[in-house]
Amino acid sequence: MKRRSLFWVQLAATLFACAFVTVPILLSLAAGVTEDYRIGLTSGLTLRWVEKVMLEYGGTILRSVGLAVACLGVTLVIGVPLAYALARSGQRWTRWVEELLMLPVAIPGLATALALISAYGTWGGLRTSSLFILIGHVLFTLPFMVRAVLAVLTAIDLKTLEEGAASLGAGPWQRFTTIALPNARGGILAGSLMVVTLSVGEFNMTWLLHTPFTKTLPVGLADAYASLRLEIASAYTLLFLMLIMPLLLGLQWAAKRLESRP
């Protein structure tokens, strides 16, 4: 009897927590497709706010997607080999490298952005290009890729597997592509999921790095809220979720597919 009562109490607490988080989001999304958010859905449904966002902020959406894809590509090229090198080394200095990689995460994004501007802001047209934002995103997301891949590689006996492959004549590149990468695919996908999510939604660093011509989706969303245009901001939020959810679901589907393979 006590266990049954405890179950219902836990269920009620869980449902309350879920409602506390999701109800404001649903109300915000509803405001983006209603004629008058103050009246609610009874005022009628409309897509004119969504159309207005596409006309005024469509470039920020495409830019955010492009930055996320580019950021994922750079972190894969840099992060996976770096995690492999750290996993193979096993030396004391590898712990220091890991801690240094986590500095951009520990330091506030505004401080990192200010450091980038101070160091590289005068390099030709870099300051006014999307490449500058991409550099900031890579600095912020690279630790998540490295940590995800490194966790998987350190969980297996990588040294023994590589010694066996080497005894059969496999070179360094062959050992990396046939042993490290297949075993690290779960970590690579987990890291990819985090990189894409964080890049699309990153605001603190991007807010200081962007220019009027290089706005991203979160910066445009902040501008819409700051101007008290609640319908526009809510429609912007709706488009943001429509953009990020397929990416997340696609990566999760790919992860399950790879995990099911022998």
Side-chain angles (χ1 to χ4, degrees):
M1 187 66 181
K2 289 183 178 180
R3 289 184 178 180
R4 188 174 182 82
S5 300
L6 180 61
F7 166 78
W8 288 112
V9 170
Q10 292 174 335
L11 179 61
T14 303
L15 292 176
F16 175 79
C18 292
F20 185 80
V21 174
T22 57
V23 167
I25 297 176
L26 294 176
L27 291 175
S28 175
L29 296 179
V33 292
T34 55
E35 287 287 351
D36 190 338
Y37 76 93
R38 293 166 296 184
I39 299 176
L41 295 176
T42 56
S43 65
L45 299 177
T46 180
L47 291 177
R48 66 188 178 112
W49 307 121
V50 176
E51 294 174 358
K52 197 171 182 61
V53 169
M54 293 298 295
L55 289 174
E56 295 185 8
Y57 300 102
T60 67
I61 297 173
L62 295 176
R63 187 173 296 110
S64 292
V65 174
L67 283 171
V69 172
C71 185
L72 175 59
V74 174
T75 53
L76 284 173
V77 171
I78 299 176
V80 175
L82 179 57
Y84 173 65
L86 293 174
R88 291 183 71 251
S89 175
Q91 302 294 326
R92 282 187 175 182
W93 60 268
T94 58
R95 296 295 301 173
W96 290 100
V97 173
E98 290 183 50
E99 296 302 324
L100 287 174
L101 284 173
M102 294 304 296
L103 278 179
V105 179
I107 297 174
L110 291 176
T112 304
L114 184 61
L116 287 173
I117 293 172
S118 301
Y120 309 115
T122 58
W123 283 24
L126 181 63
R127 177 67 182 90
T128 57
S129 70
S130 297
L131 179 60
F132 204 40
I133 299 176
L134 176 61
I135 293 171
H137 283 203
V138 170
L139 284 176
F140 179 65
T141 58
L142 183 62
F144 295 94
M145 177 64 75
V146 174
R147 280 294 180 90
V149 177
L150 185 59
V152 174
L153 291 178
T154 53
I156 63 174
D157 194 354
L158 182 62
K159 184 177 180 181
T160 301
L161 291 175
E162 287 205 322
E163 287 177 351
S167 66
L168 296 174
W173 176 251
Q174 193 173 6
R175 295 198 299 269
F176 174 69
T177 55
T178 60
I179 295 177
L181 289 182
N183 282 284
R185 61 191 181 189
I188 292 173
L189 281 170
S192 299
L193 182 65
M194 288 187 285
V195 167
V196 171
T197 306
L198 292 171
S199 179
V200 171
E202 209 292 318
F203 171 76
N204 291 333
M205 187 185 301
T206 309
W207 182 79
L208 197 59
L209 293 178
H210 89 281
T211 68
F213 303 102
T214 58
K215 283 184 179 180
T216 62
L217 196 153
V219 175
L221 179 60
D223 288 347
Y225 274 111
S227 61
L228 300 179
R229 299 163 68 185
L230 186 60
E231 297 92 343
I232 300 294
S234 298
Y236 213 139
T237 304
L238 178 61
L239 288 174
F240 178 82
L241 292 178
M242 291 174 62
L243 169 67
I244 196 66
M245 289 305 296
L247 291 174
L248 299 181
L249 293 175
L251 287 172
Q252 290 178 349
W253 175 82
K256 290 182 180 180
R257 290 274 297 181
L258 286 177
E259 288 176 359
S260 63
R261 291 182 180 179

